[in-house]
């Protein structure tokens, strides 16, 4: 469940793109969890048609997933709707997603732009949109050329076929004891949230998600004859997503495509880690690190970067001074960079992104603690974070070499700010019982910190929107307002890196 400021931020994003009615429906789902159509109408001061149309928009733009589940009397199956919080926040990063494809497959950028603007499109609609964007007098691309460029995005996993429109999810299956279910390998057993279960159930297999468009399929599509298809650059008509009056089922009758956010977030995660590590490297080591990142092999693992040694050597040779490096020197540097050779395949080197992300997160929180409460608080918080277990007050004083009174005052500040927790412990020693306090980092300190990030992001958005409204009204200080707005937009971009670090990575 998203935090209070996270919900307000999501509502603000949706309101800016689709208006207040859609924003109300999205915020209601985020606040209360999955709801049926009738439950949403009952909670909001909106008509049935307004809620239906809002759900259509949210599903079209991948912000809501419908699914059916047993509910009520006699386990009647009903359709419920679940807001996907992550996908709402991804709308903040559309320009970043476009820049990734622009650098990798520039000829296919227009397809991704269409999918980001319209949410879900059929290939026929993408063809029409592409042709309509061609300037007058310029030669129009053939459907075969369009198909080949689009398949490049599919092959690179930047786009995917849309998930099942309304999968069936039975909560009773998850409540059954382990003995009554098929036993899964221990490595894949994990507790999934409801949102994760719904997404997992709706997701197609990789073979289906990234199945390229064959020539026969593209040739047989009657794109020029179908009058009901959306015109280029416009949102798909609501008729493409039909709501059944009795069951409130939203059914998709065509093969729809959308951007694969999972792939783009991995690319941003890899880029973020590469830049963070690069800042601490020497020039001689930098070329090998860059070569390792450039030689990354595409795989389904979103936690690591894997590169074959041959590809690394090839790219190192293209760098300045790289041709003089020996294989042993390069491998030695890779080991120093924590790029570990795989046991199954010694010719491949793997770097753990999550480990670096965890370090960066700790650095961010420690930096904030230092800014708010000073060097002493930073030292104590860092000690508790590294220990990851309860630490006695006297031990904190001994290990930090700080004055006892300063330690007590600082611990109280951190406790009041919800970063640490305390507990009174009684110990039997000698003739009587001794009581003392132990301290540890709070389990929820990250959630607390992320909510602060959401709050800051919301404030920045509101300030930018306010300045934009003042500019539209017209004022003598237009230049000053534009400069302030540009500064705030740059602050938004920098702040979004912290948001991605804690929320997406």
């Amino acid at each position: 469940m998203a935090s209070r400021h996270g919900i307000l931020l999501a509502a603000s994003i949706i309101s800016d793109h689709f208006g207040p009615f859609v924003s109300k429906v999205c915020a209601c789902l985020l606040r209360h969890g999955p709801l049926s159509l009738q439950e949403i109408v009952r909670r909001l001061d909106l008509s049935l048609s307004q809620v239906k149309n809002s759900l259509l928009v949210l599903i079209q733009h991948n912000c809501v997933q419908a699914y059916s589940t047993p509910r009520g009397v006699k386990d009647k199956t009903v359709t419920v709707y679940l807001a996907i919080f992550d996908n709402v926040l991804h709308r903040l990063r559309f320009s970043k997603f476009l820049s990734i494809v622009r650098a990798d497959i520039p000829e296919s950028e227009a397809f991704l732009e269409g999918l980001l603007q319209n949410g879900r499109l059929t290939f026929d609609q993408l063809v029409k949109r592409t042709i309509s964007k061609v300037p007058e007098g310029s030669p129009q691309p053939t459907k075969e050329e369009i198909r080949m460029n689009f398949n490049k995005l599919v092959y690179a996993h930047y786009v995917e076929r849309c998930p099942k429109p309304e999968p069936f999810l039975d909560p009773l299956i998850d409540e059954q004891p382990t003995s009554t279910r098929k036993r899964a390998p221990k490595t894949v057993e994990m507790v999934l949230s409801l949102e994760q279960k719904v997404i997992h159930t709706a997701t197609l297999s990789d073979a289906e998600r990234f199945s390229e468009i064959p020539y026969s399929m593209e040739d047989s599509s009657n794109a020029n004859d179908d009058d009901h298809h959306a015109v280029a650059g416009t949102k798909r008509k609501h008729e493409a997503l039909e709501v059944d009056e009795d069951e409130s089922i939203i059914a998709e009758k065509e093969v729809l495509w959308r951007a694969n956010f999972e792939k783009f977030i991995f690319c941003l995660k890899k880029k973020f880690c590469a830049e963070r590590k690069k800042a601490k490297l020497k020039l001689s080591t930098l070329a090998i690190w860059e070569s390792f990142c450039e030689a990354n092999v595409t795989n389904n693992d979103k936690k690591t970067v894997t590169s074959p040694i041959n590809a690394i050597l090839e790219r190192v040779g293209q760098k300045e001074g790289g041709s003089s490096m020996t294989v042993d020197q390069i491998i030695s540097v890779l080991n120093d960079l924590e790029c570990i050779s795989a046991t199954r395949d010694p010719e491949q080197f793997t770097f753990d992104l999550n480990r670096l992300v965890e370090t960066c997160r700790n650095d961010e929180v420690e930096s904030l603690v230092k800014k708010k409460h000073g060097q002493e608080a930073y030292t104590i918080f860092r000690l508790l974070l590294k220990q990851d277990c309860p630490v006695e007050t006297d031990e904190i004083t001994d290990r930090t070499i700080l004055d006892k009174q300063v330690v007590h005052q600082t611990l109280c500040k951190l406790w009041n700010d919800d970063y640490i927790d305390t507990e009174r412990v009684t110990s039997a020693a000698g003739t009587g019982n001794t009581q003392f306090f132990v301290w540890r980092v709070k389990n929820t300190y990250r959630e607390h910190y992320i909510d602060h990030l959401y709050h800051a992001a919301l404030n920045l958005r509101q300030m930018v929107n306010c300045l934009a409204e003042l500019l539209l009204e017209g004022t003598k200080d237009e230049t000053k307002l534009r400069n302030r707005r540009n500064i705030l937009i740059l602050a938004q971009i920098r702040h979004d890196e912290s948001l991605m670090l804690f929320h997406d990575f």
Side-chain angles (χ1 to χ4, degrees), residues 33 135 172 201 319 442 444 461 474:
L172 295 177
T201 306
K319 307 284 183 183
K442 227 174 180 181
T444 57
R461 283 186 67 81

Side-chain angles (χ1 to χ4, degrees), residues 35-314:
L35 298 172
S36 67
L37 180 64
Q38 289 74 22
E39 288 171 332
I40 299 171
V41 173
R42 201 160 48 241
R43 290 174 184 273
L44 297 175
D45 187 21
L46 297 175
S47 67
L48 180 65
S49 62
Q50 287 173 329
V51 173
K52 280 184 178 180
N53 291 335
S54 297
L55 286 171
L56 285 164
V57 172
L58 290 168
I59 291 173
Q60 169 68 22
H61 287 271
N62 308 299
C63 297
V64 161
Q65 174 66 52
Y67 68 97
S68 58
T69 186
R71 266 195 185 185
V73 183
K74 296 180 181 179
D75 286 339
K76 180 183 177 182
T77 300
V78 299
T79 301
V80 293
Y81 304 92
L82 176 70
I84 309 300
F85 180 64
D86 289 0
N87 287 4
V88 176
L89 289 195
H90 289 335
R91 301 193 69 83
L92 296 171
R93 288 148 207 149
F94 281 2
S95 59
K96 291 184 174 77
F97 297 166
L98 280 170
S99 66
I100 291 169
V101 170
R102 190 182 301 125
D104 193 11
I105 316 173
E107 63 273 20
S108 302
E109 181 187 352
F111 296 118
L112 179 65
E113 184 183 26
L115 292 172
L116 292 177
Q117 287 178 358
N118 298 280
R120 301 179 176 198
L121 292 175
T122 64
F123 180 66
D124 289 344
Q125 290 168 336
L126 285 166
V127 170
K128 281 189 172 185
R129 187 180 185 279
T130 302
I131 292 174
S132 70
K133 295 287 184 181
V134 177
E136 290 186 15
S138 300
Q140 289 190 347
T142 64
K143 284 189 178 181
E144 176 61 14
E145 290 173 336
I146 294 173
R147 181 187 68 84
M148 289 176 65
N149 287 334
F150 182 73
N151 277 345
K152 290 178 183 178
L153 287 177
V154 181
Y155 179 77
H157 292 192
Y158 289 128
V159 300
E160 62 177 348
R161 294 175 189 256
C162 288
K164 300 168 190 173
E166 191 183 326
F168 178 76
L169 185 69
D170 189 353
L172 295 177
I173 294 175
D174 298 311
E175 293 173 7
Q176 292 175 4
T178 310
S179 59
T180 63
R181 289 181 286 169
K182 292 182 179 178
R183 293 187 180 274
K186 290 183 180 179
T187 53
V188 297
E189 282 188 6
M190 59 174 65
V191 178
L192 299 177
S193 66
L194 178 60
E195 181 177 320
Q196 290 171 323
K197 288 175 187 174
V198 171
I199 293 174
H200 178 73
T201 306
T203 302
L204 305 171
S205 66
D206 282 357
E208 293 173 304
R209 287 173 69 193
F210 308 113
S211 176
E212 298 177 15
I213 301 176
Y215 179 77
S216 58
M217 176 181 171
E218 180 274 326
D219 188 52
S220 63
S221 60
N222 299 318
N224 296 326
D225 300 328
D226 291 344
D227 295 330
H228 68 279
H229 283 321
V231 181
T234 62
K235 294 181 178 61
R236 298 185 67 244
K237 292 185 178 180
H238 286 176
E239 287 78 9
L241 296 172
E242 297 180 354
V243 180
D244 186 271
E245 294 294 332
D246 297 326
E247 302 294 337
S248 306
I249 298 173
I250 294 181
E252 294 170 289
K253 297 181 178 178
E254 302 165 321
V255 176
L256 292 165
W257 298 88
R258 69 175 188 177
N260 179 17
F261 295 143
E262 187 181 31
K263 169 69 175 182
F264 285 110
I265 291 300
F266 173 72
C267 291
L268 291 175
K269 181 179 179 180
K270 185 175 75 169
K271 182 180 178 182
F272 174 89
C273 290
E275 293 296 326
R276 282 295 178 101
K277 199 166 182 69
K278 185 190 295 185
K280 301 177 182 179
L281 299 179
K282 299 177 182 177
L283 286 175
S284 56
T285 310
L286 184 59
I288 297 174
W289 172 247
E290 288 178 342
S291 300
F292 170 78
C293 294
E294 291 167 5
N296 176 220
V297 177
T298 302
N299 53 39
N300 293 327
D301 183 7
K302 305 303 178 187
K303 301 176 182 178
T304 60
V305 174
T306 302
S307 300
I309 186 62
N310 290 336
I312 297 171
L313 294 174
E314 182 182 343

